[in-house]
Every structure is written in C-alpha cells, then in structure tokens.
Amino acid sequence: MRLRFSRGVITIAIIVIVLAVAISVGLYHLLKKAAPLAVPEAHCTVRTPDGELYLFPEQAQISATIAAVAARRKLPERAVVIAYGTALQESKLYNLDWGDRDSVGVFQQRESQGWGSKKQLMDPVYATNKFFAALVKVKNYRKRPLAEAAQAVQRSAGGYAYAQHESDAKILAGAFTGRVPQAVHCWYPPGKSPVPQAKATEARKQLAKALGSTAISTKRRGWLVAAWSVAHAEKYALSRVGYAGATWSNDMRLDGWQAGGKSGSSRVELS
C-alpha cells in the first residue's frame, strides 16, 4: 500500500513539472512575439567597428548635439572623443541641473568660474560650444592623452578619471560624426496619432541651432544629420528617417537601418 502511494505521488509530481515547463516555454515564446510589450522603455543602440553601446534617448540626444556643434566649428574627430570622454565622466551624458557646488549641465561647468549663467549652461549647445572654445586653446590637444586634454579644460579634482571613458567615446564619435553610416538605432513607444509635419520642421530648426546650415555637402555630414534625427526621434515624434537609400523606422521588430526607400544622398528625409 505504501509503495503504491509513493508511486502515485511521484506520478503527480512529474505531471506538475511537465506542465510547468510547458507553460514556461509557451510564455517565453509569447513574450518574444510581443517584444514591444515586453520592452516598453525607449532606448538607443550605437554600433560601430569599435563596439556597441546602449543609451537612453537623452544620452543619445546629447551625443548627437556634441557632434553637431563640433561639425559646425569644423573640429576633428579627436575633439569629439575628448568631449565625450569628459561628458561621460561629468554627467554620463545627461543635462543635469545639479552638481558639486554650482556645477550644472553636461560638462558640469560652474557659473562662478566664468562659464556662463546657469540658464546658459543648461543649454547643451551653449555648454558644448564653451567646452570646445576652451579645448582648442589647449596646446597640441589632438596629440595629448584624453585625460590630460580634458583636465586642461575642466581643472577637475580627479582629472585622471576621464581616461576610463576613451573606448566608449570612440564608439560614440564614430557613430554621431557620421563617419560610420547607419550606426544609430533608437526605439520609443509610438503614439496613437500620425506625426504632424510641424514636428519635422521643428526638428530641422533645432538641428540648425547646433549644426548651423543643415545642407548636406558630404555623405559623412548626411549621416551625422541622420544620426541626430534618429536620436531625437522620440522628442519630435519622428517615425521614419531616410538617407542614401537606407531607412530607419520606429519599429521594434527591426534591428537597425533597412535597405530600400527613395531617399537620396542630398537630403535626410524625416516623417
């Protein structure tokens, strides 16, 4: 009698385990098919031959702004790498309204040190321009180690810390300067209403604030504009960016840019 009872218990236990596994497997495949529901948070991926990074939209927008300001000032990619290394250490690429003493913004610049008013420093375009204006005055900054060049601008208590961000800074620079095409891909939860054309117009207006002219003179500049646009897609409710025969769409099922579309290389199409 005891033996039959034990076998019954074992049989029931086996059935429960099998059912649990079956339910778990089914749930796993269901979640895979419903990826947009399972991953509701907006995010960006940056991929270049140097590596891959994951960013939140604000970080991507700041990165795009830094690259655009550098392009307007006709600065080399090394200047962009130094700026990214600095911003990653100071704010993790966020526009902070707080910091040590009166430090604020992307580069944690201080009003009391003559960088500008708090309102000015909270404008990433203004803050980036101030950073680059100081960087170009550093003798041989292009050939100096990142931490050394950044410290000459920032005069931080721990200037050695900038060096640890050089690898990530190079990935960001390759993507957002446009040197590496199709390197920036973002996704955000789409709205229910279609995008008004005014949103694309406002996006171009804000791009011009950082970049100056939005005219496309080279493919590299075109990819810079495309990367900026994708990074700002959530902010301006853009669902599609097209350039040089490739298209980014705000579609969770797509991994990166897709070939096809009617966009040429003389203009970045926004919708």
Side-chain angles (χ1 to χ4, degrees):
M1 182 70 178
R2 183 178 300 171
L3 181 61
R4 288 198 299 273
F5 180 79
S6 299
R7 286 176 178 173
V9 170
I10 292 172
T11 300
I12 293 172
I14 291 173
I15 292 172
V16 170
I17 292 171
V18 170
L19 286 173
V21 171
I23 292 171
S24 298
V25 172
L27 183 60
Y28 169 76
H29 287 291
L30 180 62
L31 289 175
K32 279 187 69 177
K33 292 180 179 179
L37 298 178
V39 188
E41 194 167 24
H43 60 276
C44 297
T45 306
V46 178
R47 295 191 186 102
T48 76
D50 290 319
E52 183 172 319
L53 292 175
Y54 296 93
L55 305 173
F56 287 108
E58 183 181 349
Q59 293 174 303
Q61 290 162 20
I62 295 293
S63 299
T65 296
I66 290 172
V69 171
R72 182 173 190 169
R73 300 177 72 98
K74 295 180 171 56
L75 296 177
E77 189 169 322
R78 181 61 181 171
V80 182
V81 171
I82 295 169
Y84 285 147
T86 305
L88 283 164
Q89 176 61 29
E90 296 290 356
S91 67
K92 296 183 179 177
L93 290 170
Y94 286 104
N95 194 28
L96 303 178
D97 62 357
W98 54 272
D100 178 46
R101 287 170 283 189
D102 59 340
S103 300
V104 295
V106 178
F107 296 98
Q108 289 290 280
Q109 295 150 324
R110 298 177 59 190
E111 184 174 3
S112 61
Q113 297 297 316
W115 287 100
S117 68
K118 181 177 179 179
K119 181 178 180 180
Q120 289 174 319
L121 295 175
M122 287 300 297
D123 177 357
V125 173
Y126 175 91
T128 302
N129 268 306
K130 293 295 285 187
F131 178 86
F132 283 137
L135 179 64
V136 297
K137 295 178 182 177
V138 177
K139 187 176 180 179
N140 294 324
Y141 77 86
R142 301 185 195 187
K143 298 180 180 179
R144 296 173 72 168
L146 186 151
E148 192 175 300
Q151 176 64 356
V153 174
Q154 299 292 103
R155 303 187 184 280
S156 170
Y160 60 86
Y162 299 116
Q164 65 184 312
H165 302 291
E166 184 154 8
S167 295
D168 288 349
K170 288 180 177 178
I171 294 171
L172 294 172
F176 286 101
T177 63
R179 177 171 59 80
V180 180
Q182 304 180 31
V184 180
H185 177 71
C186 297
W187 178 85
Y188 66 91
K192 296 180 180 180
S193 59
V195 181
Q197 188 60 37
K199 289 290 187 178
T201 302
E202 181 62 23
R204 294 187 189 280
K205 179 181 176 181
Q206 291 304 312
L207 172 61
K209 178 182 175 182
L211 185 59
S213 171
T214 58
I216 306 299
S217 53
T218 65
K219 275 198 172 183
R220 177 166 178 162
R221 186 178 176 89
W223 283 114
L224 181 153
V225 172
W228 187 98
S229 302
V230 172
H232 287 80
E234 181 182 30
K235 185 173 183 178
Y236 298 108
L238 303 176
S239 59
R240 186 170 288 102
V241 176
Y243 181 66
T247 303
W248 166 84
S249 300
N250 188 43
D251 189 334
M252 190 68 173
R253 296 167 298 179
L254 301 178
D255 183 23
W257 289 70
Q258 305 295 306
K262 299 179 180 179
S263 58
S265 57
S266 61
R267 177 180 170 86
V268 176
E269 302 293 338
L270 308 179
S271 61

